[in-house]
């Protein structure tokens, strides 16, 4: 069994690229089973010319590689978090990721995202689970951040009622 995970970070545009996402997923699978290196070697040979120049694989080709890699496992779980953070070609990236699920019966996928129309359209046949933070979770997080920033001396609040007002305002 194998698990491959990728986080699309809104602060890092390189994590929004389909080839980066799929390449990371493939790399994680390759590192989990030594027989996957044979697939990688063949993949490499298909992308190098006689003059040793390398042809960059398309995202679709990386999807095919992942599908081939999945044959070495009884089950492969692929998790991609933050699809909504992708700023360019989000629907296309979502389409490529869903193709992983449909090309191999051993691949199971889990995608997380805020509700976005383009992603929802691509993932319309997938089961959805809605998760909402509880106000107590939010308040706990805010209190933790205020304490951490106070300890780091990046924030100074000497007035307890002001601190409570800030926490209440942020939570609401």
């Amino acid at each position: 069994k194998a698990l491959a995970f990728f986080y699309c970070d809104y602060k890092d545009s390189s994590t929004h690229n389909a080839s980066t996402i799929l390449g990371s997923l493939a790399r994680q699978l390759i590192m989990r089973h030594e027989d996957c290196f044979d697939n990688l070697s063949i993949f490499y040979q298909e992308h190098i010319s006689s003059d040793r120049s390398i042809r960059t694989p398309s995202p679709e080709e990386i999807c095919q590689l992942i599908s081939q890699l999945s044959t070495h496992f009884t089950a492969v779980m692929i998790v991609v978090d933050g699809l909504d953070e992708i700023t360019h070609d989000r629907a296309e990236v979502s389409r490529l990721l869903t193709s992983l699920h449909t090309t191999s019966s051993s691949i199971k996928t889990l995608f997380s995202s805020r509700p976005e129309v383009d992603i929802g359209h691509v993932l319309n046949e997938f089961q959805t689970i809605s998760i909402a933070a509880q106000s107590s979770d939010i308040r706990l997080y805010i209190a933790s951040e205020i304490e951490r920033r106070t300890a780091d001396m990046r924030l100074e609040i000497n007035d307890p009622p002001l601190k409570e007002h800030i926490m209440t305002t942020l939570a609401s």
Side-chain angles (χ1 to χ4, degrees):
K1 295 180 181 177
L3 169 68
F5 175 84
F6 193 85
Y7 174 66
C8 303
D9 186 349
Y10 76 95
K11 296 178 278 188
D12 184 357
S13 61
S14 70
T15 66
H16 304 182
N17 178 285
S19 292
T20 301
I21 297 167
L22 295 165
S24 174
L25 297 172
R27 181 186 151 284
Q28 291 173 62
L29 295 177
I30 291 164
M31 298 302 291
R32 297 280 299 156
H33 198 296
E34 76 177 44
D35 290 346
C36 291
F37 284 97
D38 294 336
N39 295 91
L40 179 61
S41 179
I42 293 166
F43 188 77
Y44 175 78
Q45 293 303 318
E46 292 171 349
H47 292 85
I48 191 165
S49 65
S50 58
D51 68 351
R52 306 307 262 172
S53 62
I54 297 174
R55 180 180 63 80
T56 303
S58 70
E60 288 81 6
E61 289 173 314
I62 302 172
C63 284
Q64 291 172 352
L65 174 62
I66 291 171
S67 183
Q68 292 167 1
L69 297 171
S70 73
T71 63
H72 298 288
F73 303 95
T74 56
V76 173
M77 183 65 182
I78 292 179
V79 178
V80 180
D81 184 18
L83 283 179
D84 56 300
E85 303 296 348
I86 297 172
T87 54
H88 185 67
D89 288 335
R90 188 166 56 191
E92 178 61 13
V93 173
S94 299
R95 183 193 65 76
L96 287 162
L97 290 168
T98 61
S99 75
L100 297 174
H101 179 78
T102 56
T103 59
S104 172
S105 61
S106 66
I107 296 178
K108 307 299 180 212
T109 54
L110 174 68
F111 308 119
S112 75
S113 171
R114 289 184 198 98
E116 297 287 347
V117 173
D118 56 342
I119 296 170
H121 180 70
V122 174
L123 301 178
N124 67 346
E125 293 186 19
F126 281 69
Q127 182 178 352
T128 60
I129 300 170
S130 180
I131 301 173
Q134 302 294 318
S135 61
S136 59
D137 296 334
I138 295 170
R139 188 163 174 76
L140 184 61
Y141 173 76
I142 292 168
S144 167
E145 281 297 303
I146 287 174
E147 291 305 317
R148 186 174 63 82
R149 291 169 191 228
T150 302
D152 293 349
M153 302 183 90
R154 293 185 294 148
L155 179 65
E156 185 177 337
I157 305 173
N158 295 323
D159 182 9
L162 176 60
K163 183 177 178 180
E164 182 60 34
H165 175 70
I166 290 170
M167 289 177 54
T168 303
T169 302
L170 286 173
S172 65

